[in-house]
Amino acid sequence: MSLTDRRGLQGRADTQALLGDRVLVTAVSGSWAKVVVPDQPTPLDSRGYPGWVPLRQLSAVAPVSAAQYATVVSRTAWLRADTAAATPVVEVSYGTRLPLLAGAGSWLRVGLPGGQVRRVSPAAVARRTGTAAAQPTTGVSMVQSAQAFTGLPYLWAGRSGFGFDCSGLTSLVHRVHGLVIPRDADAQATRGRAVASVAMAPGDLLFYATSSGYVHHVSMYAGSGQMVQSPATGQAVMTIPVSTPSYAVQFAGARRYVP
């Protein structure tokens, strides 16, 4: 997407759901469905994050149940045809979680909504049983995951390896590390546990507010006085000093979700 394309999303998109994510359909209008996304908590709806998606992107047939699941832990990964040629079919995001069916030579076979089967490289995914976290539930590990997206351009409403907004980055990284937290920065600032500035540890979330008290931005403390963030359209995921003046003046507190 061009910078103009990215700017065009402002105010027109709310969040992203990943391939395989469960949604609840609450209404249908023409070729669109109104849904809520249960794994993206929000004060907007107790059932999950609300929004509209094209009907063609939904399947009423859930992926098959499996003893193990494969979660993408690289920025993106290619799902490939379930053939010896393993031709690339679709590129999917970090955090995409699909049932693991079996091995196929040097590939893994995974199930998709609707019943299709695809292959994926074992190097791109973490294999876990049931609902176990794909990556370690530690602050240090979450920082490493967030910083792996360094240089990725900001995307309004982004919550995927193709682009993040500020809270899309923090919420998806937490989910892959086994912690479901609110989708948006203002809601994230009301949950977890408050942490004093002198006690901040890697993985803590730092919040920034306007003079009226509205929380409009979130970053993740990276340790040693640094924070990793996806700041704004036209910029990219970066690690900068917490003391950066434009942020320090709006600092509104830190919270911790790691047990």
Side-chain angles (χ1 to χ4, degrees):
M1 297 178 69
S2 68
L3 179 56
T4 299
D5 292 334
R6 292 174 183 274
R7 285 178 173 152
L9 287 177
Q10 291 198 208
R12 301 176 65 187
D14 295 314
T15 189
Q16 292 177 318
L18 304 181
L19 176 67
D21 282 357
R22 183 172 71 94
V23 302
L24 305 177
V25 177
T26 62
V28 174
S29 178
S31 61
W32 289 81
K34 187 176 185 180
V35 303
V36 295
V37 188
D39 81 342
Q40 297 188 36
T42 174
L44 300 173
D45 192 309
S46 61
R47 297 168 296 179
Y49 211 95
W52 290 84
V53 297
L55 276 170
R56 61 185 174 83
Q57 293 184 357
L58 301 179
S59 171
V61 180
V64 298
S65 297
Q68 284 196 319
Y69 287 78
T71 300
V72 175
V73 291
S74 55
R75 279 198 188 189
T76 62
W78 280 96
L79 298 185
R80 298 171 177 269
D82 189 31
T83 63
T87 306
V89 176
V90 62
E91 191 177 13
V92 296
S93 166
Y94 171 82
T96 300
R97 181 178 180 272
L98 298 169
L100 181 60
L101 305 181
S106 59
W107 303 101
L108 299 175
R109 301 175 73 237
V110 293
L112 273 58
Q116 293 179 315
V117 176
R118 293 286 182 256
R119 297 188 182 190
V120 66
S121 168
V125 301
R127 289 171 275 182
R128 297 290 186 268
T129 302
T131 59
Q135 294 182 294
T137 310
T138 68
V140 170
S141 184
M142 288 196 296
V143 169
Q144 291 172 344
S145 292
Q147 289 181 324
F149 295 100
T150 297
L152 182 68
Y154 176 97
L155 183 66
W156 176 274
R159 193 176 182 264
S160 76
F162 300 100
F164 290 102
D165 63 18
C166 65
S167 56
L169 176 64
T170 54
S171 64
L172 184 57
V173 166
H174 272 75
R175 191 188 86 169
V176 175
H177 288 258
L179 300 169
V180 176
I181 72 172
R183 165 63 175 87
D184 292 332
D186 55 346
Q188 290 176 10
T190 67
R191 303 285 291 275
R193 307 186 305 283
V195 178
S197 299
V198 294
M200 293 190 310
D204 290 346
L205 299 185
L206 313 184
F207 298 96
Y208 300 87
T210 62
S211 58
S212 67
Y214 172 68
V215 173
H216 64 90
H217 184 59
V218 59
S219 65
M220 180 181 292
Y221 187 62
S224 302
Q226 303 285 306
M227 65 184 190
V228 56
Q229 62 168 353
S230 186
T233 301
Q235 300 185 61
V237 176
M238 62 180 70
T239 299
I240 64 172
V242 173
S243 60
T244 302
S246 58
Y247 290 99
V249 71
Q250 291 192 330
F251 180 66
R255 302 192 77 86
R256 181 175 299 161
Y257 284 89
V258 175

